Amino acid sequence: MSDQQPLAADEVLDVVDEHDRVVGRAPRGEVYAKGLIHRCVFVQARDARGRIFVHRRTDRKLVFPSRYDMFVGGVLGTGESYDEAALREAEEELGVSGLPAPTPLFRFLYEGPGGRWWSAVYEVRCELPVAPQEEEVAWWDFLAEEELRSRLDAWEWVPDGLAAYARLREHRRTG
């Protein structure tokens, strides 16, 4: 796959400021190259037994290829709301339709490896059989929380997902 172009570099995104206000638009590749702030959703999907959907991204992903993630999600399209993107991304990445609307939990400005983006964190229960997109997901499984935590130091994770996961654990502890 190394001779193929990364996915979605030409998709146009809303560019936002430090207060999450739209200030322009630019292609995704330009947004990442220039470090422009944009919007993203993180959805923690759990199965009927409460296990968390964990996956490894394909090597064609524009940001953090081949790394593990404990969220499904992605960037918001131009004019798209966080709620719309959360449902769309969860259904796309899990390969299902008819999910309940993900529950919004909190937002934060991620600043770290890869850039800066406003991040909305959600959770959803997925009791449907999943069929993740092969172009997005190289490997997947549902893991118990304890197993996920035991792999935090062993696997190479997406840094924004780790930041969201740490905030989510704190949110649940203090919430």
Side-chain angles (χ1 to χ4, degrees):
M1 281 196 203
S2 59
D3 61 338
Q4 295 178 313
Q5 289 285 56
L7 296 170
D10 297 327
E11 178 185 6
V12 176
L13 309 179
D14 286 333
V15 175
V16 297
D17 65 13
E18 291 82 8
H19 304 287
D20 199 16
R21 295 181 298 226
V22 176
V23 295
R25 292 185 177 146
R28 182 191 286 215
E30 180 181 330
V31 165
Y32 287 113
K34 293 182 175 179
L36 303 174
I37 304 172
H38 55 289
R39 293 174 170 160
C40 187
V41 292
F42 295 82
V43 183
Q44 185 177 77
R46 291 181 181 260
D47 67 6
R49 294 173 34 199
R51 298 174 303 170
I52 300 167
F53 180 82
V54 176
H55 67 283
R56 186 171 53 81
R57 298 159 63 88
T58 63
D59 62 359
R60 290 189 59 219
K61 295 293 285 185
L62 188 61
V63 178
F64 311 130
S66 301
R67 292 200 184 180
Y68 289 89
D69 200 349
M70 66 283 286
F71 295 95
V72 294
V75 298
L76 277 67
T78 301
E80 189 174 31
S81 74
Y82 285 107
D83 289 349
E84 291 167 337
L87 181 58
R88 175 183 56 76
E89 287 284 351
E91 288 188 335
E92 283 178 8
E93 286 194 30
L94 294 170
V96 301
S97 63
L99 269 183
T103 303
L105 301 174
F106 58 89
R107 293 184 191 172
F108 72 101
L109 178 60
Y110 169 77
E111 299 181 274
R116 301 190 301 162
W117 42 86
W118 272 99
S119 307
V121 178
Y122 290 76
E123 63 185 357
V124 71
R125 180 74 56 155
C126 179
E127 298 183 5
L128 303 165
V130 300
Q133 293 178 310
E134 291 182 15
E135 62 272 12
E136 301 264 340
V137 176
W139 170 92
W140 65 272
D141 201 358
F142 283 95
L143 303 180
E145 184 96 31
E146 303 77 36
E147 185 175 356
L148 169 58
R149 283 199 301 263
S150 76
R151 303 206 187 255
L152 291 177
D153 293 329
W155 291 353
E156 192 173 6
W157 297 88
V158 296
D160 59 341
L162 280 176
Y165 184 67
R167 288 174 184 260
L168 178 57
R169 289 184 65 198
E170 180 65 17
H171 173 80
R172 288 189 171 135
R173 190 180 67 73
T174 61

